Amino acid sequence: MARDTGNLKLTNVTKVFGNGDDKVTAVDKFNLTIKPGEFVTLLGPSGCGKTTTLRMIAGFETPTEGDIALDGKSMKNLTPDKRPMGMVFQSYALFPHMSVFENVAYGLRVQRLSKSEIQTRVADVLAKISLSHLAQRAPNQLSGGQQQRVALARAMVVEPKVLLFDEPLSNLDAKLRAQMRVEIREIQQSLGITSVFVTHDQDEAMSLSDRIVVMRNAVVEQTGTPDEIYRKPNSVFVADFIGRSNFFKVDKIKSKSSGKAKIEVNGKRMEVPAHPKATSTSNPVLLVRPESISVKAAKPTKALGTVTNIVFYGNHVEYSIATKHGEITAIESDPVYDEIVQPGKGATFEFDSSRSWLIPSDGTVVHEE
Ligand SMILES: Nc1ncnc2c1ncn2[C@@H]1O[C@H](COP(=O)(O)OP(=O)(O)OP(=O)(O)O)[C@@H](O)[C@H]1O
Ligand SMILES: [Mg+2]
């Protein structure tokens, strides 16, 4: 249920901190239009400018250049309290001396709503996040996940046009994090609130978002749906940041037309989907995700590599294979245990060429995380 308000537009948004030798460009010409009700995640390594972007949207930082508009109107002259936005932080930031009910009611009291309306709205939102029974507790009597839900309720209850999240789940354990992801997505979709979510956790980004913005060193590397980012990354950096990757050296590009290239890899000809900038001069590499590769035992004369390690997880097995392209990772799901190729043995591998992606590798550095 998308609303018709909550269109957020960032145009050439730039933030430079300090001056002279201390100058840091934290965000450089950020452009993005977020549709009403859309869930967009900013993803990237530490220090790439995610929080700074979010703080500019909230109004806690002023852009050095560029503009941020909500529903077609610049927010330049609006202080944070005048922007119809709710923010959820990593640290929850609940008021320790107030009950759960009062924490959630706070924004409504500021708006001077009637007692009965406050009562109804807080009760509604607490029910939505299954916390009605804890309304009278103090924050220090709650678990981390419960506190984070209260923070979410407090941001939502004022029915903002935009919800901003800065790594809200990073203090929770893995299981609770996965559960909260589902809850946040459900609540956000049922209310149709435009949302900008910051994380450096790729699983979080993939599972929550309509679109992901991958940032690196203050600039946007790529904006796309989770599928586009995973299957058709713009660069080696994006491919490597999202999920796990194998990069095969390409012997030759024989021809290229309308998004396809005929290439040779391991002496084998194939036609693969290709990035527009993947040309012979761009030092192209072929991206193949581990789950697209299937492995078979092979005699030394036929082998493309030697298995160096296997990890058996029951539902899948993960191979490491030493090849002339370096170490290749392959993941086979639902393996038959007796057919797993053991370490030290020769192996061949295959993949469906339509599941690969040719990308330029010039000027791209594999990130350090
Ligand atoms: N107030 C400030 N003064 C000076 N430099 C700052 C300030 N705030 C952020 N920076 C710098 O701007 C850059 C981007 O910081 P930002 O907090 O936006 O990164 P981030 O992507 O949120 O990283 P993390 O994942 O670690 O939270 C960093 O180099 C940081 O040191
Ligand atoms: Mg941050």
Side-chain angles (χ1 to χ4, degrees):
M1 183 197 74
R3 302 180 183 179
D4 52 1
T5 60
N7 179 296
L8 191 63
K9 186 169 184 188
L10 287 81
T11 311
N12 278 326
V13 172
T14 298
K15 181 71 189 181
V16 181
F17 287 112
N19 44 44
D21 285 349
D22 277 345
K23 214 154 112 172
V24 180
T25 302
V27 180
D28 197 6
K29 299 192 188 66
F30 191 113
N31 284 292
L32 183 70
T33 302
I34 306 176
K35 294 191 291 275
E38 199 179 9
F39 196 113
V40 170
T41 297
L42 311 183
L43 176 70
S46 187
C48 70
K50 305 179 296 292
T51 294
T52 305
T53 305
L54 206 66
R55 287 174 55 82
M56 287 191 283
I57 298 172
F60 298 123
E61 301 285 355
T62 310
T64 314
E65 271 176 58
D67 191 38
I68 302 172
L70 183 65
D71 295 326
K73 281 196 204 95
S74 171
M75 293 195 291
K76 228 170 213 152
N77 299 318
L78 296 182
T79 51
D81 56 309
K82 295 283 183 305
R83 299 186 184 200
M85 301 192 177
M87 188 144 174
V88 183
F89 301 91
Q90 178 176 355
S91 59
Y92 320 140
L94 299 178
F95 304 119
H97 56 288
M98 290 184 193
S99 67
V100 166
F101 185 95
E102 284 306 324
N103 263 282
V104 177
Y106 181 80
L108 302 176
R109 295 214 195 281
V110 170
Q111 292 180 3
R112 298 185 182 284
L113 299 187
S114 73
K115 231 178 165 175
S116 65
E117 180 157 12
I118 291 174
Q119 181 67 42
T120 314
R121 279 175 63 175
V122 174
D124 277 356
V125 76
L126 286 180
K128 208 168 245 139
I129 55 165
S130 320
L131 280 185
S132 308
H133 61 299
L134 300 177
Q136 295 315 319
R137 290 252 186 109
N140 66 6
Q141 297 171 314
L142 301 176
S143 72
Q146 289 164 340
Q147 288 182 51
Q148 193 52 288
R149 270 189 220 141
V150 177
L152 187 62
R154 191 178 56 177
M156 284 183 332
V157 77
V158 294
E159 297 182 2
K161 288 189 178 172
V162 180
L163 272 173
L164 305 172
F165 299 87
D166 195 358
E167 310 230 11
L169 307 182
S170 53
N171 285 338
L172 307 178
D173 67 44
K175 203 169 159 194
L176 197 53
R177 210 154 60 213
Q179 187 189 331
M180 286 294 293
R181 258 183 227 155
V182 176
E183 283 183 22
I184 288 183
R185 184 64 175 154
E186 275 176 13
I187 294 171
Q188 185 270 339
Q189 283 193 319
S190 71
L191 298 177
I193 302 179
T194 306
S195 299
V196 187
F197 189 99
V198 161
T199 184
H200 55 253
D201 179 329
Q202 46 141 330
D203 287 342
E204 219 160 272
M206 292 293 287
S207 58
L208 275 168
S209 317
D210 294 313
R211 276 192 301 159
I212 297 173
V213 179
V214 182
M215 296 180 73
R216 174 195 186 194
N217 293 340
V219 300
V220 172
E221 279 267 316
Q222 185 168 3
T223 301
T225 63
D227 183 53
E228 282 163 353
I229 298 276
Y230 190 73
R231 283 287 154 202
K232 300 190 165 178
N234 276 347
S235 62
V236 168
F237 171 82
V238 174
D240 207 51
F241 196 78
I242 313 287
R244 300 170 67 186
S245 313
N246 294 300
F247 299 107
F248 290 100
K249 201 172 145 296
V250 175
D251 302 332
K252 257 179 229 158
I253 295 193
K254 290 180 150 344
S255 68
K256 207 179 156 212
S257 64
S258 63
K260 298 248 178 202
K262 290 196 170 125
I263 59 167
E264 243 179 70
V265 174
N266 286 327
K268 204 172 154 183
R269 288 183 188 186
M270 55 182 88
E271 191 176 50
V272 296
H275 189 280
K277 289 191 178 147
T279 55
S280 300
T281 53
S282 71
N283 198 17
V285 290
L286 190 68
L287 165 68
V288 186
R289 298 294 188 182
E291 65 275 17
S292 301
I293 297 182
S294 67
V295 178
K296 280 203 188 71
K299 299 219 168 69
T301 49
K302 295 263 168 71
L304 290 172
T306 305
V307 174
T308 54
N309 193 31
I310 59 158
V311 184
F312 179 66
Y313 290 94
N315 63 349
H316 71 275
V317 59
E318 204 176 294
Y319 286 101
S320 303
I321 306 170
T323 75
K324 68 170 186 180
H325 301 276
E327 187 164 278
I328 296 295
T329 306
I331 293 174
E332 297 244 31
S333 61
D334 203 9
V336 176
Y337 191 79
D338 293 340
E339 290 173 11
I340 294 173
V341 188
Q342 295 299 316
K345 301 283 185 201
T348 58
F349 49 84
E350 282 182 347
F351 53 89
D352 177 350
S353 58
S354 72
R355 304 299 282 164
S356 65
W357 175 241
L358 192 69
I359 33 177
S361 76
D362 52 345
T364 47
V365 183
V366 175
H367 79 99
E368 67 288 344
E369 274 196 353

